[in-house]
């Protein structure tokens, strides 16, 4: 693991965008594994600027996202499809048909997950997977568990995740209790992984991810096994490293 310590969220976003822009320049038709949440928002803003000033183009990019709430339509403001459209896709020249998320409206969990596995395989492998880190160590919606679940699956969100995500809804009751998430196979098969971690609330879990045992109780600890992981952490998040 390469750990880049930066001062604050601003610098984290700048470095995150440079990392992804470099990938796009090296391979303009690459497959990006993308993430939602607060961590990548500043990075996406900088990527939009880089597109606007002509430094990069997304026209040949394919994207696969990590996860989607089960039961939310893509037009629901808290769906991850809506997040990706408004935070990135609507502002760059990516072809929407080449952007994939699990189908939150598919009520049959088995079908939703099998379909997404076929999509992950169909895009021919992820070149760069972007990740945030949950307060409980989750990546995507792979919550702390007794096993590392290999494939896309339907998860029951933990209370810690529901609490963390309540800030986006009117109340905690509105937060969906289930989500579809890419499993560890999809994430770990990416050629490169970039993790963005910001804020003091992530310091303790980040230290466990980097220095603790590899265990499904700390989902991101499995990243220790991947040959090409870069973590960009701001000073608050890196305080215990
Ligand atoms: P955050 O979420 O970027 O909003 O902190 C990260 C995550 O839960 O994966």
């Amino acid at each position: 693991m390469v750990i880049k310590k930066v001062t604050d969220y601003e610098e984290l976003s700048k470095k995150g965008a440079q990392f992804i822009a470099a990938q796009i320049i090296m391979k303009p038709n690459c497959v990006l594994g993308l993430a939602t949440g607060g961590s990548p928002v500043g990075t996406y803003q900088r990527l939009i600027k880089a597109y606007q000033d002509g430094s990069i183009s997304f026209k040949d990019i394919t994207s696969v996202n990590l996860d989607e709430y089960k039961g939310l339509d893509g037009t629901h403001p808290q769906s991850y499809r809506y997040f990706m459209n408004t935070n990135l896709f609507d502002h760059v020249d990516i072809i929407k048909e080449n952007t994939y998320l699990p189908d939150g409206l598919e009520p049959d969990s088995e079908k939703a997950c099998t379909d997404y596995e076929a999509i992950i395989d169909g895009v021919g492998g992820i070149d760069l997977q972007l990740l945030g880190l949950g307060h409980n160590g989750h990546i995507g919606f792979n919550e702390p568990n007794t096993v590392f679940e290999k494939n896309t699956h339907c998860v029951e969100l933990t209370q810690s995740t529901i609490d963390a995500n309540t800030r986006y809804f009117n109340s905690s009751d509105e937060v969906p209790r289930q989500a579809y998430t890419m499993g560890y196979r999809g994430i770990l098969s990416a050629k490169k992984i970039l993790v963005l971690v910001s804020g003091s609330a992530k310091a303790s879990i980040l230290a466990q991810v980097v220095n603790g045992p590899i265990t499904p109780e700390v989902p991101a600890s499995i990243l220790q096994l991947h040959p090409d992981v870069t973590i960009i952490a701001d000073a608050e998040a890196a305080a215990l490293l």
Side-chain angles (χ1 to χ4, degrees):
M1 282 181 169
V2 174
I3 299 171
K4 291 185 197 288
K5 296 184 189 177
V6 298
T7 50
D8 54 16
Y9 184 77
E10 193 69 16
E11 203 190 338
L12 170 143
S13 302
K14 194 168 144 197
K15 289 265 188 307
Q18 283 169 349
F19 196 101
I20 297 169
Q23 171 67 53
I24 294 173
I25 290 164
M26 277 188 301
K27 189 175 176 190
N29 63 346
C30 65
V31 178
L32 296 178
L34 297 177
T36 54
S39 306
V41 168
T43 297
Y44 291 154
Q45 285 167 356
R46 279 164 184 76
L47 287 173
I48 292 167
K49 279 208 190 88
Y51 161 71
Q52 286 167 344
D53 74 19
S55 316
I56 53 171
S57 166
F58 289 76
K59 77 178 167 46
D60 296 322
I61 301 278
T62 300
S63 71
V64 281
N65 261 74
L66 287 163
D67 44 16
E68 178 61 282
Y69 286 118
K70 181 176 177 183
L72 293 194
D73 186 274
T75 58
H76 188 290
Q78 297 313 331
S79 73
Y80 287 169
R81 162 55 74 185
Y82 187 91
F83 176 102
M84 289 311 303
N85 285 348
T86 52
N87 283 285
L88 183 64
F89 300 155
D90 286 346
H91 310 286
V92 297
D93 59 348
I94 200 161
I95 297 166
K96 284 265 179 69
E97 288 69 28
N98 297 337
T99 66
Y100 298 99
L101 290 93
D103 180 1
L105 276 193
E106 174 55 66
D108 177 346
S109 300
E110 209 178 305
K111 179 171 185 328
C113 297
T114 311
D115 287 353
Y116 207 56
E117 281 300 301
I119 286 169
I120 294 167
D121 289 339
V123 298
I126 297 169
D127 290 291
L128 170 60
Q129 176 67 56
L130 176 63
L131 297 174
L133 177 66
H135 294 88
N136 59 8
H138 74 199
I139 43 178
F141 270 137
N142 290 283
E143 299 282 46
N145 199 344
T146 50
V147 289
F148 288 113
E149 290 240 27
K150 194 172 152 200
N151 292 326
T152 303
H153 54 286
C154 181
V155 284
E156 303 290 328
L157 301 184
T158 61
Q159 194 57 44
S160 141
T161 298
I162 292 166
D163 292 346
N165 291 358
T166 294
R167 69 190 195 274
Y168 298 116
F169 292 81
N170 292 323
S171 76
S172 107
D173 294 345
E174 287 184 16
V175 183
R177 269 28 188 186
Q178 291 183 312
Y180 296 131
T181 185
M182 196 188 279
Y184 293 96
R185 182 183 75 98
I187 295 172
L188 292 175
S189 63
K191 292 195 187 99
K192 262 187 225 159
I193 297 179
L194 173 64
V195 194
L196 303 177
V197 195
S198 172
S200 56
K202 303 277 179 74
S204 156
I205 192 70
L206 182 59
Q208 290 179 60
V209 166
V210 173
N211 296 319
I214 298 168
T215 162
E217 293 297 336
V218 181
S221 63
I222 202 169
L223 298 176
Q224 292 178 28
L225 298 176
H226 190 280
D228 193 347
V229 174
T230 300
I231 298 176
I232 305 180
D234 65 15
E236 287 185 355
L240 300 177
L241 293 181

